[in-house]
Amino acid sequence: MMNYIWGGIILLSLIVSVFTGRVEQTAAAAVSGAGSAVDLSLSLLGIMCLWTGISKIGEDAGLIRRIAKILTPPIRFVFPRLDPKGKAFGSVVMNIVANLLGMGNAATPLGIKAVGELKRLSPDPGRATDEMCMLVVLNTASLQLIPTTLISLRQSYGAASPGDVIAPIWICEICALVLGIAAAKFLSRRSRT
């Protein structure tokens, strides 16, 4: 579906550029935008590799297990029906820890694995469970101690102080997290009645 949407946008922009006489400007903007996208991708790739490496070191050193142990009580509150010793619970914890450490896109495979484990536990594999919905809420709110992707983006675009957005981000993330969990819990209870 997204292919059709993007294809339609490109086709529409080409048609508009022909009718407005700006074909050369459109072509120049396309080439310039592609170059900027490659530069941005490479800078983000660097920060992703850095955090993935730090994550691996933290995992090998046992740091991630310690953080996961600290987070187990609040995660049990959010996911009360999951067995804390089960594979699904472990996958959920790893995904939350990866997001908390600000790994951004590096946390995505862990989220996909967690959803796969939750799907295995589902009585109806074609329907999202409350736990899956809650995981989506947690990933969307994505509470991060250090929002590395945003800081690296701000730095690559020349921000004088790329880290000055951390406190407002924490406030927004905490508000989104609390409201998201409350809404998911409310809707979960409501659907069972």
Side-chain angles (χ1 to χ4, degrees):
M1 182 66 175
M2 287 304 293
N3 291 338
Y4 294 118
I5 292 171
W6 283 110
I9 290 171
I10 291 169
L11 185 63
L12 182 64
S13 63
L14 288 174
I15 291 169
V16 169
S17 70
V18 167
F19 284 114
T20 59
R22 296 183 173 171
V23 176
E24 293 170 12
Q25 293 168 330
T26 302
V31 170
S32 171
S36 296
V38 169
D39 290 341
L40 181 61
S41 296
L42 289 175
S43 69
L44 288 176
L45 180 65
I47 197 73
M48 186 184 289
C49 289
L50 170 71
W51 280 105
T52 304
I54 289 172
S55 167
K56 184 66 177 155
I57 291 168
E59 185 179 346
D60 291 346
L63 178 65
I64 302 230
R65 268 192 304 277
R66 285 189 204 125
I67 293 172
K69 199 173 197 176
I70 292 168
L71 291 177
T72 295
I75 293 173
R76 280 199 50 132
F77 167 75
V78 175
F79 295 95
R81 288 184 266 172
L82 289 182
D83 176 15
K85 297 190 185 326
K87 222 174 174 185
F89 190 85
S91 294
V92 166
V93 169
M94 289 302 292
N95 176 247
I96 292 170
V97 169
N99 279 319
L100 188 64
L101 294 177
M103 292 186 213
N105 293 336
T108 301
L110 294 171
I112 293 170
K113 181 179 178 188
V115 169
E117 291 296 330
L118 292 172
K119 186 176 181 181
R120 248 180 4 95
L121 299 175
S122 174
D124 182 7
R127 186 170 178 236
T129 63
D130 292 339
E131 288 78 17
M132 289 178 189
C133 294
M134 184 62 78
L135 185 63
V136 169
V137 166
L138 293 178
N139 277 296
T140 303
S142 187
L143 184 60
Q144 297 178 10
L145 295 176
I146 304 170
T148 54
T149 303
L150 182 63
I151 290 172
S152 66
L153 278 171
R154 287 176 47 85
Q155 184 175 10
S156 69
Y157 283 108
S161 181
D164 63 356
V165 296
I166 291 177
I169 287 173
W170 285 346
I171 293 167
C172 292
E173 287 174 343
I174 290 169
C175 290
L177 185 66
V178 169
L179 289 174
I181 289 173
K185 290 274 189 189
F186 172 75
L187 292 172
S188 171
R189 285 191 187 129
R190 187 170 176 214
S191 70
R192 280 186 252 146
T193 58

